Amino acid sequence: MRNKTIVLLIGLAVMAGVTACSKKSDQVAAAAHTLYHCAMHPQIISDKPGECPICHMRLIPIENNNPQVPASGAVPDQATVHLAPGIDQQIGVAVTPAEMRDLSVPIRAAAKVAYDPQLYSAALEHQESLNFLMKAKAQGSTDLVEQAESTVHSSELRLRQMGLSDEQIEDIGKSSYNPADLILGSKKGSLWVYASVFDYDASLIRPGQEAELSSPSLPGKTYTGTVFAIDPVLSNDTRTLRVRIRIPQTDGSLRPEMYLSAVIHARLGKRLAVPVSAVMDTGTRQIAYVLTGPGTYEPREVQVGRRAEDYYEILKGLAEGEKVVTSANFLIDSESRIQAATQKAVGAQ
């Protein structure tokens, strides 16, 4: 009986020791899986406490570092952010939907009041060739008519090379048109202004667009004109395109060769757009954070088009109605990078 009691006690002791060792090993394993990171530099991950080698801040434990959690989100090195209820309001997160907007791009350019004897001569030549054709037809001479038609064709070609459209050439051919405003400034008369538009904006310029003009030498004065013609050939030296703007009436304060500042309003029409603050440019890509559920923000790579005042045209990456973050993006982005770096580090363990 005594021997049985001794054997039983030994067995209980062994079981207790095994349980204690098991608990201790679990604690050691849990400690081994505890990772630490720098709050300022999320790429710094360590398996033990210490300091950040960059900023020397104390490393803090990473919460919920489950190695089974994969990195989420379609953007490399970014993860979908999940915030506890109420946290997004506390940090000032604001969202707005991507929607169709009537966008207008203001194109700013250096300009000057025209002094263009070349176009003046071309306009006079065209008017004279039309008068010659009219007289030839009145005389009924076939040879004279053919010669006059050839002269008219040549004058039209010269005007087209200067960027004038068929409608504008027709306007110049009218007897009421006076090309003197190309070389002289007159009170209450029309003026031509030439604006130099860079090649990357040239595709947006169209005849008929409104332009606002001002001069530092005439503070408080603004003149409104209309794009009349666009030269077909870029300047090889400045990589700009000359845009001819016509001001219907002036007060005589503008003189030939006077420098001006021009703003041409190029309308894009209805386009999908988001506020500029919704797009984060990393240098290699543009990212927007999309609200996909309560407290859930998904990083989305987007392709932007033109900037129209406070909005970006969206070419790819967003659909109409999707809500994007417009405030506290940097906090969301920081958390996204931290979670992505954490998940990557934990998965490598």
Side-chain angles (χ1 to χ4, degrees), residues 126 130 165-174:
H126 182 59
L130 289 174
S165 67
D166 291 340
E167 293 78 8
Q168 293 161 349
I169 294 173
E170 183 180 353
D171 184 41
I172 287 177
K174 295 176 181 178

Side-chain angles (χ1 to χ4, degrees), residues 51-101:
E51 290 185 352
C52 172
I54 300 176
C55 63
H56 302 290
M57 289 183 62
R58 184 172 63 86
L59 301 181
I60 59 176
I62 299 175
E63 298 180 359
N64 301 324
N65 54 334
N66 186 355
Q68 302 300 320
V69 178
S72 58
V75 181
D77 300 322
Q78 304 276 159
T80 297
V81 176
H82 303 277
L83 299 180
I87 295 298
D88 43 6
Q89 284 82 10
Q90 293 180 17
I91 64 175
V93 175
V95 296
T96 190
E99 56 188 1
M100 301 298 293
R101 287 182 170 271

Side-chain angles (χ1 to χ4, degrees), residues 5 141 248 312 315:
T5 302
S141 172
Y312 272 131
L315 303 178

Side-chain angles (χ1 to χ4, degrees), residues 72-349:
S72 58
V75 181
D77 300 322
Q78 304 276 159
T80 297
V81 176
H82 303 277
L83 299 180
I87 295 298
D88 43 6
Q89 284 82 10
Q90 293 180 17
I91 64 175
V93 175
V95 296
T96 190
E99 56 188 1
M100 301 298 293
R101 287 182 170 271
D102 191 4
L103 300 182
S104 177
V105 178
I107 298 175
R108 292 173 171 81
K112 67 177 181 178
V113 179
Y115 177 71
D116 195 344
Q118 184 180 9
L119 182 56
Y120 172 76
S121 298
L124 283 182
E125 178 187 331
H126 182 59
Q127 288 181 339
E128 290 172 359
S129 66
L130 289 174
N131 291 333
F132 178 46
L133 177 60
M134 184 172 60
K135 292 178 181 178
K137 287 181 178 180
Q139 293 180 10
S141 172
T142 304
D143 293 339
L144 201 59
V145 169
E146 289 180 356
Q147 181 182 353
E149 288 177 344
S150 178
T151 305
V152 170
H153 177 72
S154 298
S155 66
E156 288 178 345
L157 181 59
R158 186 180 178 190
L159 291 172
R160 286 194 186 95
Q161 289 176 333
M162 296 180 176
L164 274 65
S165 67
D166 291 340
E167 293 78 8
Q168 293 161 349
I169 294 173
E170 183 180 353
D171 184 41
I172 287 177
K174 295 176 181 178
S175 59
S176 59
Y177 180 79
N178 182 8
D181 51 12
L182 288 165
I183 57 175
L184 297 172
S186 60
K187 191 173 183 180
K188 296 184 179 180
S190 62
L191 281 178
W192 290 67
V193 172
Y194 292 170
S196 299
V197 176
F198 286 105
D199 52 359
Y200 52 78
D201 285 327
S203 61
L204 295 176
I205 305 298
R206 300 285 186 275
Q209 291 172 336
E210 184 181 279
E212 294 179 0
L213 303 121
S214 60
S215 172
S217 61
L218 299 170
K221 287 189 177 182
T222 303
Y223 303 90
T224 302
T226 304
V227 174
F228 187 78
I230 304 114
D231 282 9
V233 181
L234 282 169
S235 168
N236 191 42
D237 296 328
T238 62
R239 307 307 300 168
T240 59
L241 200 66
R242 184 166 61 176
V243 176
R244 302 174 193 266
I245 300 170
R246 196 166 182 184
I247 304 176
Q249 284 189 341
T250 65
D251 56 2
S253 57
L254 297 179
R255 300 294 181 183
E257 296 290 342
M258 181 180 288
Y259 285 98
L260 302 171
S261 296
V263 180
I264 303 172
H265 299 282
R267 299 193 179 278
L268 300 180
K270 288 284 186 180
R271 303 290 176 90
L272 182 65
V274 297
V276 170
S277 59
V279 179
M280 299 187 65
D281 195 334
T282 67
T284 57
R285 57 178 178 246
Q286 290 83 35
I287 296 174
Y289 285 90
V290 181
L291 178 66
T292 58
T296 302
Y297 302 92
E298 175 187 305
R300 190 85 58 81
E301 186 170 354
V302 299
Q303 182 180 351
V304 300
R306 297 279 182 175
R307 176 171 177 170
E309 296 291 354
D310 297 328
Y311 290 89
Y312 272 131
E313 174 192 7
I314 298 297
L315 303 178
K316 186 179 179 182
L318 292 174
E320 185 178 2
E322 287 189 306
K323 295 182 178 180
V324 294
V325 178
T326 56
S327 178
N329 320 50
F330 291 98
L331 295 176
I332 298 292
D333 183 69
S334 177
E335 181 64 21
S336 174
R337 292 177 182 274
I338 290 174
Q339 291 187 15
T342 300
Q343 292 167 4
K344 185 177 180 181
V346 171
Q349 297 296 317

